[in-house]
Amino acid sequence: MYLAIDGQEIAHYPSEFKCTIMDLDNAETTKRTADGQLTRERIAVKRQIELRFNAMTWDKLSAILTALKPKFVQITYPDPESGQQETRTFYVSDRESAIAIERGGTYYWSTGFTLTEK
């Protein structure tokens, strides 16, 4: 697997990678009728990527979080539908980080976040 943020390979690879293909419907015109039938207007298909990382060094955590600071980033990832590496524009949700372990004065962090296609 290859992952990149704005063309730079990610500093540490995730322990979990999950890609969801989301349909976005027009909220005003997508409705269910009284007999249970759905009228649907799909306006877009987007990707959402959830990443979880196990123990990584502080410098690698910092590199990933710093790379995600811009409002939008280009993410290169393996797309399950196309079967190829794709690059799309995403924004990141809350980024939680926790100290997983400490050994000999060195902290090893875990983190996780969700990337949603623009």
Side-chain angles (χ1 to χ4, degrees):
M1 173 169 58
Y2 176 78
L3 289 174
I5 303 169
D6 286 335
Q8 295 293 320
E9 187 171 10
I10 199 163
H12 187 87
Y13 275 81
S15 54
E16 183 180 334
F17 172 94
K18 180 173 143 185
C19 183
T20 302
I21 300 169
M22 304 183 313
D23 286 343
L24 300 180
D25 292 341
N26 183 328
E28 293 178 16
T29 58
T30 299
K31 302 196 185 301
R32 196 166 290 279
T33 61
D35 66 353
Q37 295 298 311
L38 179 70
T39 328
R40 181 177 189 210
E41 181 186 356
R42 180 171 54 193
I43 57 174
V45 177
K46 300 291 183 174
R47 302 298 193 266
Q48 192 168 62
I49 299 171
E50 292 179 48
L51 298 172
R52 301 286 169 254
F53 299 81
N54 288 334
M56 73 174 92
T57 58
W58 208 342
D59 62 326
K60 289 182 179 182
L61 172 65
S62 178
I64 291 170
L65 295 179
T66 300
L68 293 171
K69 280 180 98 168
K71 190 180 344 181
F72 296 104
V73 291
Q74 295 287 308
I75 302 292
T76 303
Y77 68 99
D79 187 83
E81 185 177 47
S82 72
Q84 301 178 61
Q85 291 291 129
E86 293 202 12
T87 300
R88 296 179 186 228
T89 303
F90 289 81
Y91 62 91
V92 67
S93 67
D94 297 342
R95 297 159 296 282
E96 103 255 331
S97 300
I99 295 175
I101 56 174
E102 181 268 329
R103 286 209 177 117
T106 300
Y107 295 119
Y108 294 89
W109 295 80
S110 64
T111 192
F113 48 84
T114 300
L115 300 162
T116 303
E117 187 177 1
K118 180 179 178 183

